[in-house]
């Protein structure tokens, strides 16, 4: 199993980025994929989750209305469209996969079996 993130970079506040998480070795219908982010000295926090099998999406309050998660099943890829970016969104972003999703704790990093290596997002003020 491999998850590979891409699409990070430097963007001014108010700008947009689209992150990609290319997944191999598992199918999106059987796994939930979540985007997490982490800044130095802080806990890794859940940003957004998609479960194709349940046809469900979840968002952290701090990104609702700004970020959109989606999939391209043909490419086995999960996207995170990030709009109206803020300096507080600066972080390393990771995607992770779990075969068992607990909806009430989708944001818990402890429930995920597979992780990507991360991509850096920097939002300048």
């Amino acid at each position: 199993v491999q998850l590979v993130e891409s699409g990070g970079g430097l963007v001014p506040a108010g700008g947009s980025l689209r992150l990609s998480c290319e997944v191999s070795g598992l199918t999106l219908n059987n796994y939930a994929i979540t985007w997490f982010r982490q800044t130095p000295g802080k806990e890794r926090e859940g940003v957004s989750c998609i479960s194709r099998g349940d046809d469900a999406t979840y968002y952290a309050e701090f990104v609702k209305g700004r970020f959109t998660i989606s999939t391209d099943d043909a490419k086995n890829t999960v996207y995170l469209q990030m709009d109206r970016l803020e300096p507080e969104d600066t972080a390393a972003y990771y995607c992770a996969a779990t075969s068992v999703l607990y909806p009430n704790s989708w944001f818990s990093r402890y429930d995920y079996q597979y992780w990507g290596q991360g991509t850096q997002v920097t939002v300048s003020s």
Side-chain angles (χ1 to χ4, degrees):
V1 176
Q2 195 172 18
L3 288 75
V4 179
E5 302 96 335
S6 62
L10 174 64
V11 62
S16 298
L17 280 175
R18 189 179 77 160
L19 304 183
S20 300
C21 174
E22 186 173 348
V23 181
S24 59
L26 56 85
T27 58
L28 296 181
N29 276 342
N30 297 330
Y31 283 78
I33 305 294
T34 293
W35 285 97
F36 289 83
R37 70 186 188 185
Q38 188 171 24
T39 55
K42 291 190 175 181
E43 289 286 320
R44 193 167 293 190
E45 60 182 1
V47 175
S48 182
C49 172
I50 189 163
S51 177
R52 293 287 287 117
D54 300 324
D55 194 23
T57 58
Y58 306 88
Y59 293 93
E61 282 297 322
F62 51 81
V63 302
K64 275 186 180 178
R66 300 190 299 123
F67 292 9
T68 304
I69 194 168
S70 63
T71 65
D72 183 331
D73 293 347
K75 295 182 178 180
N76 226 38
T77 298
V78 178
Y79 300 103
L80 185 68
Q81 177 67 41
M82 307 188 296
D83 299 318
R84 305 203 316 271
L85 283 160
E86 303 168 352
E88 293 74 21
D89 296 316
T90 295
Y93 283 72
Y94 302 85
C95 59
T98 180
S99 59
V100 180
L101 179 68
Y102 299 99
N104 290 335
S105 61
W106 64 266
F107 44 83
S108 172
R109 61 188 176 94
Y110 299 106
D111 294 335
Y112 290 80
Q113 294 88 50
Y114 304 105
W115 290 84
Q117 83 289 348
T119 186
Q120 178 67 34
V121 171
T122 303
V123 184
S124 61
S125 56

